[in-house]
Amino acid sequence: MKSAKLIQSTSTYKSVYKTTLNQSIVDTFLLQCQSLNEFNQILSQMIVTGFIKDTYAASRILTFSTAKSSFINLHYSRQIFDHIENPNGFIYNTMMRSYLQINHPKETLLLYKLMLKNMKTVYPDTYTYPLLIQASIGSVLEGKEVHDHVVKMGFDSDVYVRNTLINMYAVCGEMMDARKVFDESPVRDLVSWNSVLAGYVQMGSVEEAKMVYDQMPEKNVIASNSMIALFGRCGRMNEAYRLFVDMKEKDLVSWTAMISCYEQGGMYEDALVMFIEMNRRGISVDEVVVISVLSACARSLVLETGASIHGLVFKTGTSSYVNIHNALIHMYSTCADIADAEKLFNSSSHTDIISWNSMISGYSKCGSLKKAREVFDKMPVKDVVSWSALISGHSQAGMFDETIALFQEMMLRGQIKPDETILVSVISACTRLAALEQGTWVHAYIKKNGLEVNSVLGTTLIDMYMKLGCVESAEEVFYKMDEKGVSSWNSLILGLAMNGEVEKSLEMFSEMKRSGVVPNEITFVAVLGGCRHMGLVDEGHHHFDSMINTHKIEPNIKHYGCMVDLLGRAGLLKEAEELIASMPMAPDVATWGALLGACKKHGASEMGERVGLKLIELQPNHDGFHVLLSNIYASKGSWENVAEIRGTMIENRVVKTPGCSIIEANGIVHEFVAGDTGHPRIHEIEEMLDVITERVKMIGYSPDTNEVCFDIDDEEKETTLFRHSEKLAIAFGLMVMDPSTPIRIMKNLRICNDCHALAKLVSKAFDREIVVRDRHVFHHFRQGSCSCMEYW
DNA sequence: TGCCCCTAGC
């Protein structure tokens, strides 16, 4: 009865055997069986003759069918299983193992339930529980349940069962439980030791792993290889190497582990030397080691070695492996040998997406974005890496508009979800373009889709919000981050200081130290920069000293630059000049430039002249220094000297960088250049400027004409001043933007005294918040005052 | 009939 359905599918074969079946005939037949047809012949015969009722025969046919997954699918095997009248433990185990092998652990567990239901005729044995334990990997709860059954049924003394339990807990990251099973084991074999060791290795718990390894009664190659890899991952190269040298029997994997340790630790030369030594000793190479060593070549940009490895793998015939082929293309394109990359790429069948992606990133790295796009367009199937290579390629080439356009194209097509690399590229492009709306959209997308904001992505978001003047949003990102790296803190500290919240910035610096994150040299650039904004001379000195003495960080030229600027702005010009003289390295243009700025601010025209002339000598084509020096002369009315500077500027072909401000209004970015008359709404803007002037003059504005360095009369000076790009942008913002939205402006140069004074008064007279980011710092203008407290 | 099995990547 039970066999009716199965016979149907096998009925065409019923007359093959006339003789009665026995095990020896079945065995002979199975030995030759190579297709489903042949299999069905014997199976139908077994059913018809009733030989299938023989438990041993049934187990043989089921074992055979589960082993031949190439022509018998598991569903069919299950049908056979269901037709076996008195399946024993062995038959259950075989079926359960098959489900496990095709990754259907749930079916394995269901079969166990069936087994328990039929407990009168069949019992789980020591072979059943390892299978069940493996089937419950992925759910600790299920694993514990199975563990309970093991104890209840009395199988917990079996070494196989215990070892599988150790492995299960270790894989699930439950090392306490793994360790408990291990410690309580009456018998421990090599597998027990290796399993518990593998758990610690996977967790990266190097001390625990080391302890287990040292206690092992006999050290096997696999355990030693794992330890080498673990030491490497933790950056403990010396220990990895010592272990490697001390190993009595090294195999190919030991060499590979050591080489990839070096490769991943950035010690590319050591990796290559080790590979050469391996070859010299005549140890054969495999795919894994070749890929590792090619990666070392790519990362260290040593094309020649890479090419000689190419020669070697060509000889051994491994170059035809797809993975090696791809690694070669990657190596050539990364080393900017795009011609050889192309040659290999064109010689392949183009079926592998990885080689296409390598070509895209190769062209991107060489700056051939057009070619990268061509390859991209020709690709039959694109994955997230293809988009990532193209998008980050454009971002790295400074093509920010294109970066965002590509991202929009990708989102529009809707097939690929962006990964973290893409998001980081797009967010930094938004930062550079001051495209806050677009950036905020990306952030909203991340939140909406519940994407993980890891340290890098979070830091990029903080950086964006801070550089676009949205302090609260930046802080929100920071507090929601799970893992805060030193760069996350740096972005926060730097951003707060940049936005005029220096006190908070310094508080965060203390908080950072309290939370155990070790500050690095960038942290101190941020901290000293904060002190500089507020003119906190004593505090600046204190942090500068603690950097050297407490944190053992050698000050670099940027730290000195900050200190010079801090002292100079505070009017301590002599002290600043002395600090420059005490620097262990040659002061750079920025350092002298800071001093020159300070001279201008404090009207120290004698020192200013000296420093200015020195700077012009150091960098004759820099526009800013000429302008600064010229301003120093202009402010004391030395028009002859001003004219002289203008002469040198013409002689040195210095072109004054025009001031340029951008403002994003209603999703569109508008650009204004000083003296601009090109904007389509320029007449309205000019009318608005008149309105502004009238209103602010009533509350005490008078143009600060000292800023204009040319010898022209005061009325004309005033007109020139009113063509400054930020004023045009402010007027435009007042015209078109909703009063509830702050007017955000990005300027390429520093904001001038006059524009600063005007912006303060506008914020009061028009009751509007204005945010101007200049080259150095943010100015949040609210109700007549500015967050920079007049330090900029 | 079984448990552990290390090394690589756009």
Side-chain angles (χ1 to χ4, degrees):
Chain A
M1 279 303 157
K2 216 177 167 189
S3 308
K5 225 169 113 199
L6 203 64
I7 286 179
Q8 233 175 16
S9 64
T10 57
S11 57
T12 40
Y13 310 102
K14 62 179 139 193
S15 59
V16 176
Y17 286 95
K18 299 225 166 44
T19 50
T20 316
L21 275 184
N22 62 37
Q23 194 57 50
S24 134
I25 294 174
V26 172
D27 284 349
T28 318
F29 194 89
L30 288 179
L31 211 60
Q32 294 159 1
C33 172
Q34 283 186 28
S35 72
L36 185 61
N37 282 357
E38 289 166 357
F39 179 75
N40 277 341
Q41 288 181 43
I42 186 74
L43 178 62
S44 63
Q45 209 55 28
M46 283 174 75
I47 294 165
V48 168
T49 57
F51 190 51
I52 193 89
K53 289 190 177 125
D54 181 284
T55 307
Y56 184 70
S59 80
R60 291 303 294 261
I61 195 89
L62 182 73
T63 307
F64 181 87
S65 92
T66 56
K68 298 288 173 181
S69 59
S70 57
F71 59 85
I72 303 172
N73 75 38
L74 199 62
H75 184 66
Y76 196 58
S77 299
R78 176 59 189 258
Q79 276 187 297
I80 298 169
F81 172 85
D82 287 340
H83 282 85
I84 297 172
E85 276 177 31
N86 294 310
N88 60 12
F90 177 87
I91 291 172
Y92 267 96
N93 292 343
T94 306
M95 201 61 229
M96 287 163 109
R97 185 173 309 109
S98 304
Y99 278 125
L100 205 56
Q101 276 160 357
I102 61 157
N103 209 6
H104 286 172
K106 289 260 172 302
E107 295 294 332
T108 304
L109 294 167
L110 282 175
L111 273 177
Y112 175 61
K113 288 206 176 122
L114 189 67
M115 206 174 188
L116 293 181
K117 229 171 99 188
N118 299 329
M119 267 288 244
K120 279 178 193 152
T121 51
V122 63
Y123 301 97
D125 57 18
T126 52
Y127 292 87
T128 315
Y129 286 98
L131 296 168
L132 290 172
I133 295 161
Q134 283 184 81
S136 61
I137 285 179
S139 155
V140 186
L141 273 179
E142 236 161 34
K144 294 213 171 188
E145 226 172 286
V146 176
H147 191 171
D148 282 346
H149 276 237
V150 166
V151 177
K152 249 187 248 158
M153 307 289 270
F155 289 107
D156 61 330
S157 57
D158 184 82
V159 69
Y160 280 89
V161 174
R162 294 197 80 93
N163 288 347
T164 318
L165 277 170
I166 295 170
N167 175 253
M168 184 268 295
Y169 285 127
V171 168
C172 296
E174 304 286 323
M175 281 315 288
M176 299 282 269
D177 289 303
R179 194 57 205 242
K180 194 159 180 277
V181 179
F182 176 81
D183 288 339
E184 290 169 1
S185 287
V187 187
R188 286 183 209 122
D189 64 5
L190 207 62
V191 178
S192 326
W193 285 96
N194 276 357
S195 301
V196 79
L197 180 69
Y200 287 129
V201 170
Q202 181 202 275
M203 306 272 292
S205 315
V206 64
E207 292 307 332
E208 286 84 349
K210 213 176 139 222
M211 242 187 315
V212 171
Y213 180 77
D214 288 340
Q215 286 166 8
M216 279 179 86
E218 58 178 303
K219 277 132 186 100
N220 58 87
V221 185
I222 291 177
S224 304
N225 291 347
S226 310
M227 283 309 290
I228 293 175
L230 180 62
F231 279 136
R233 251 188 283 151
C234 302
R236 292 160 69 156
M237 297 303 170
N238 289 338
E239 280 159 282
Y241 185 69
R242 210 176 313 138
L243 191 76
F244 174 79
V245 172
D246 288 345
M247 276 174 82
K248 276 186 214 119
E249 285 171 47
K250 295 186 241 305
D251 65 3
L252 169 60
V253 178
S254 323
W255 286 87
T256 311
M258 202 55 231
I259 288 169
S260 70
C261 272
Y262 284 140
E263 192 257 320
Q264 274 170 11
M267 299 162 75
Y268 307 120
E269 223 172 276
D270 297 84
L272 294 172
V273 167
M274 185 124 268
F275 181 71
I276 291 164
E277 176 62 16
M278 185 182 173
N279 270 287
R280 203 183 58 80
R281 299 205 189 177
I283 298 159
S284 64
V285 299
D286 73 349
E287 211 177 337
V288 180
V289 73
V290 168
I291 288 169
S292 185
V293 87
L294 280 175
S295 168
C297 294
R299 284 181 201 277
S300 56
L301 305 175
V302 286
L303 181 60
E304 275 174 39
T305 318
S308 67
I309 292 166
H310 186 184
L312 179 95
V313 295
F314 190 75
K315 260 189 253 163
T316 56
T318 39
S319 67
S320 57
Y321 292 1
V322 171
N323 292 340
I324 291 186
H325 189 85
N326 290 336
L328 282 166
I329 295 175
H330 177 233
M331 184 273 296
Y332 280 122
S333 62
T334 309
C335 294
D337 180 355
I338 203 79
D340 275 303
E342 260 173 356
K343 229 188 272 171
L344 274 174
F345 179 67
N346 291 332
S347 76
S348 57
S349 55
H350 287 186
T351 49
D352 198 73
I353 197 164
I354 296 177
S355 60
W356 287 90
N357 290 345
S358 288
M359 289 310 289
I360 295 174
S361 60
Y363 282 125
S364 297
K365 267 171 210 146
C366 301
S368 316
L369 279 313
K370 253 187 148 180
K371 275 276 199 182
R373 178 74 210 220
E374 271 171 39
V375 175
F376 180 83
D377 286 334
K378 276 190 209 151
M379 278 178 91
V381 183
K382 303 160 199 5
D383 66 2
V384 66
V385 182
S386 327
W387 283 99
S388 169
L390 194 67
I391 290 175
S392 55
H394 281 82
S395 158
Q396 268 152 30
M399 299 161 79
F400 303 117
D401 285 318
E402 290 82 353
T403 305
I404 291 180
L406 278 166
F407 175 68
Q408 285 167 338
E409 189 185 332
M410 183 185 102
M411 297 306 281
L412 216 62
R413 292 204 200 178
Q415 290 145 346
I416 304 282
K417 292 229 153 124
D419 67 0
E420 178 205 311
T421 325
I422 294 178
L423 294 169
V424 166
S425 296
V426 174
I427 295 166
S428 4
C430 292
T431 310
R432 297 294 288 268
L433 291 174
L436 180 61
E437 277 189 31
Q438 182 69 245
T440 312
W441 186 90
V442 176
H443 189 197
Y445 174 88
I446 293 170
K447 283 196 234 172
K448 195 178 147 203
N449 289 280
L451 301 180
E452 191 209 349
V453 177
N454 66 12
S455 170
V456 180
L457 187 55
T459 304
T460 313
L461 277 166
I462 295 171
D463 183 64
M464 176 187 81
Y465 281 126
M466 285 299 194
K467 287 202 173 128
L468 301 183
C470 312
V471 179
E472 287 96 19
S473 306
E475 286 175 324
E476 191 196 320
V477 175
F478 180 80
Y479 287 114
K480 281 191 180 157
M481 279 169 74
D482 288 333
E483 36 155 340
K484 300 176 178 72
V486 62
S487 18
S488 324
W489 285 96
N490 289 351
S491 290
L492 182 79
I493 292 168
L494 193 71
L496 285 169
M498 190 193 247
N499 282 284
E501 302 200 17
V502 174
E503 219 173 281
K504 208 173 191 184
S505 165
L506 295 174
E507 256 170 48
M508 283 300 132
F509 175 55
S510 311
E511 181 70 36
M512 170 188 184
K513 288 188 286 189
R514 264 199 299 277
S515 73
V517 179
V518 181
N520 63 16
E521 51 177 44
I522 297 168
T523 318
F524 280 98
V525 173
V527 169
L528 296 175
C531 296
R532 168 173 69 172
H533 290 322
M534 290 292 271
L536 304 171
V537 178
D538 292 340
E539 190 126 15
H541 268 309
H542 164 74
H543 290 304
F544 189 73
D545 292 341
S546 90
M547 171 174 83
I548 300 167
N549 300 322
T550 314
H551 299 278
K552 308 287 172 211
I553 297 171
E554 280 286 308
N556 65 30
I557 202 147
K558 282 202 169 160
H559 300 121
Y560 279 107
C562 278
M563 287 305 286
V564 169
D565 203 17
L566 172 62
L567 296 170
R569 278 164 194 271
L572 302 164
L573 296 173
K574 241 188 150 179
E575 213 181 306
E577 204 177 14
E578 278 163 17
L579 185 65
I580 293 183
S582 78
M583 282 165 63
M585 68 288 275
D588 67 350
V589 173
T591 320
W592 287 116
L595 189 56
L596 177 63
C599 293
K600 153 104 196 337
K601 188 181 162 87
H602 293 284
S605 38
E606 186 264 330
M607 189 191 273
E609 193 178 337
R610 187 155 40 86
V611 175
L613 290 171
K614 192 183 191 92
L615 268 167
I616 290 173
E617 201 182 294
L618 273 173
Q619 213 177 52
N621 53 1
H622 188 287
D623 62 332
F625 303 140
H626 288 86
V627 174
L628 260 177
L629 185 56
S630 165
N631 280 346
I632 287 175
Y633 287 134
S635 62
K636 55 176 192 172
S638 318
W639 299 113
E640 265 174 48
N641 288 329
V642 173
E644 201 183 312
I645 298 274
R646 289 197 70 195
T648 343
M649 280 173 86
I650 294 165
E651 225 172 90
N652 294 340
R653 299 188 183 183
V654 181
V655 187
K656 194 178 161 191
T657 311
C660 167
S661 295
I662 49 178
I663 176 169
E664 187 184 345
N666 312 322
I668 301 166
V669 175
H670 299 260
E671 190 180 67
F672 293 96
V673 183
D676 205 346
T677 51
H679 196 274
R681 298 178 72 176
I682 187 68
H683 294 302
E684 289 168 73
I685 295 172
E686 277 174 349
E687 277 167 29
M688 189 48 145
L689 277 172
D690 288 339
V691 175
I692 292 173
T693 324
E694 245 174 72
R695 294 226 338 227
V696 293
K697 274 190 177 165
M698 284 198 299
I699 52 171
Y701 169 73
S702 78
D704 180 356
T705 50
N706 273 341
E707 288 292 328
V708 186
C709 65
F710 306 119
D711 186 14
I712 42 181
D713 67 52
D714 275 358
E715 198 180 316
E716 213 178 312
K717 277 181 189 170
E718 204 173 307
T719 326
T720 316
L721 266 182
F722 263 82
R723 290 283 180 187
H724 278 184
S725 64
E726 54 270 53
K727 290 202 184 82
L728 296 172
I730 290 174
F732 183 71
L734 282 175
M735 275 163 52
V736 301
M737 287 175 71
D738 187 275
S740 63
T741 338
I743 297 172
R744 296 179 191 278
I745 294 166
M746 309 290 148
K747 199 192 168 187
N748 63 338
L749 307 173
R750 278 192 187 187
I751 188 168
C752 80
N753 279 331
D754 186 64
C755 289
H756 195 263
L758 183 103
K760 279 200 293 191
L761 293 170
V762 169
S763 74
K764 191 174 177 187
F766 291 80
D767 191 21
R768 292 290 290 257
E769 192 183 339
I770 302 172
V771 185
V772 178
R773 187 184 94 194
D774 74 11
R775 202 170 159 153
H776 292 271
V777 68
F778 267 95
H779 303 269
H780 291 261
F781 299 100
R782 283 186 205 103
Q783 291 304 322
S785 63
C786 178
S787 61
C788 77
M789 311 288 280
E790 311 304 311
Y791 272 94
W792 81 88

